[in-house]
Amino acid sequence: MRLLVVEDHPELGPDLKEGLEECHYAVDLATNGEDGLAMGSLVPYDLIILDILLPDLDGWEVCRRLRALRKRMPILFLTALGEVDHRVQGLDLGADDYLVKPFAFRELEARVRALLRREASERSPILRFLDLALDTRTHEGKRGERLFSLSSKEYALLHLLMSRPREILSRTTIAEHIWDYDADNLSNVIDVYIRNLRKALCAAGEPDLIQTVRGSGYRLKEPLP
């Protein structure tokens, strides 16, 4: 899961990023509204944690513009504005939750988990592409009638590919979604995981569904005839 935190406080922002990363999320941090809007518009985040009193562009406007762009990821307002009218305004703008500062990190983490569960429950638990299926509840894969198991990183990689079929995913995109590190330092690691995933998908001689696009990345695609 990849989250975006939009928070301008010089200590709270990095603390939120570090705490959520310890909970095994990949986390990006924006420190002003303009950057938050740009990143939320371009990157398919699973959830956004959004302050309201931001420089450049306030959180109200960031939320409004993201919804106008049909960005449907859950948005959680995290703010010092705690009046009932503020909460109502945030929810009416399209936010999914509202938490007032000061707050307990455990509560924020629980609210994040709840929003992600709700988002997942609205989607089919089974991802499918041709004869390939991936169960997001058990993390088991199936090729035709053949079951196969995956490590946590292999599952995350296959989930990313199956969530965006036929789309070329660069090494940078893969690294940011699965490892939250610079792709330049992970290029060989990504290649190893792609190779392992191919072995799992093609263990019984099935056609290869993972296409290498030289100089660009990888994509899940119908096999060549």
Side-chain angles (χ1 to χ4, degrees):
M1 294 291 183
R2 189 174 184 188
L3 314 184
L4 172 63
V5 173
V6 189
E7 170 61 62
D8 66 319
H9 192 283
E11 295 179 1
L12 179 58
D15 284 350
L16 285 172
K17 176 176 168 64
E18 181 179 355
L20 291 165
E21 286 174 341
E22 289 177 358
C23 298
H24 308 294
Y25 299 110
V27 184
D28 294 330
L29 175 63
T31 57
N32 62 70
E34 292 283 2
D35 287 349
L37 176 61
M39 295 166 71
S41 301
L42 294 173
V43 180
Y45 289 105
D46 296 290
L47 183 142
I48 295 176
I49 298 173
L50 180 61
D51 189 14
I52 292 174
L53 301 176
L54 294 165
D56 298 337
L57 196 68
D58 66 39
W60 304 127
E61 188 63 15
V62 173
C63 181
R64 188 192 68 78
R65 292 192 192 182
L66 286 174
R67 293 310 190 219
L69 292 169
R70 301 187 183 277
K71 301 300 179 181
R72 300 305 179 198
M73 71 283 282
I75 294 175
L76 187 158
F77 274 125
L78 183 64
T79 176
L81 300 180
E83 298 296 328
V84 172
D85 287 347
H86 296 141
R87 299 170 191 258
V88 171
Q89 181 177 351
L91 296 172
D92 282 348
L93 280 172
D96 299 270
D97 202 355
Y98 196 107
L99 182 60
V100 177
K101 302 172 183 174
F103 62 96
F105 183 79
R106 288 177 56 205
E107 181 180 1
L108 173 65
E109 182 190 356
R111 288 172 181 257
V112 167
R113 289 198 306 269
L115 288 172
L116 292 174
R117 280 198 306 270
R118 189 177 75 187
E119 184 75 1
S121 69
E122 294 174 356
R123 299 191 295 259
S124 170
I126 309 294
L127 296 177
R128 301 184 186 277
F129 183 80
L130 301 180
D131 63 342
L132 178 63
L134 183 66
D135 192 323
T136 61
R137 299 162 300 185
T138 65
H139 290 197
E140 291 180 332
K142 194 173 184 181
R143 188 80 191 264
E145 296 302 315
R146 179 179 63 84
L147 290 171
F148 59 87
S149 59
L150 298 164
S151 70
S152 61
K153 292 299 186 187
E154 289 166 353
Y155 166 79
L157 179 55
L158 184 56
H159 186 282
L160 178 61
L161 289 165
M162 294 187 71
S163 298
R164 299 161 70 172
R166 303 179 187 86
E167 179 182 344
I168 299 173
L169 301 176
S170 68
R171 285 180 169 81
T172 298
T173 297
I174 293 170
E176 289 177 346
H177 273 76
I178 299 174
W179 282 275
D180 195 28
Y181 293 120
D182 190 337
D184 291 340
N185 298 323
L186 283 169
S187 182
N188 292 337
V189 174
I190 293 171
D191 291 343
V192 168
Y193 274 95
I194 287 287
R195 185 163 60 247
N196 291 343
L197 196 54
R198 279 187 168 126
K199 288 179 181 178
L201 268 56
C202 305
E206 298 94 339
D208 188 6
L209 300 179
I210 301 175
Q211 181 186 44
T212 301
V213 182
R214 191 172 300 277
S216 298
Y218 301 95
R219 65 179 167 183
L220 199 66
K221 194 175 186 296
E222 292 81 358
L224 296 174

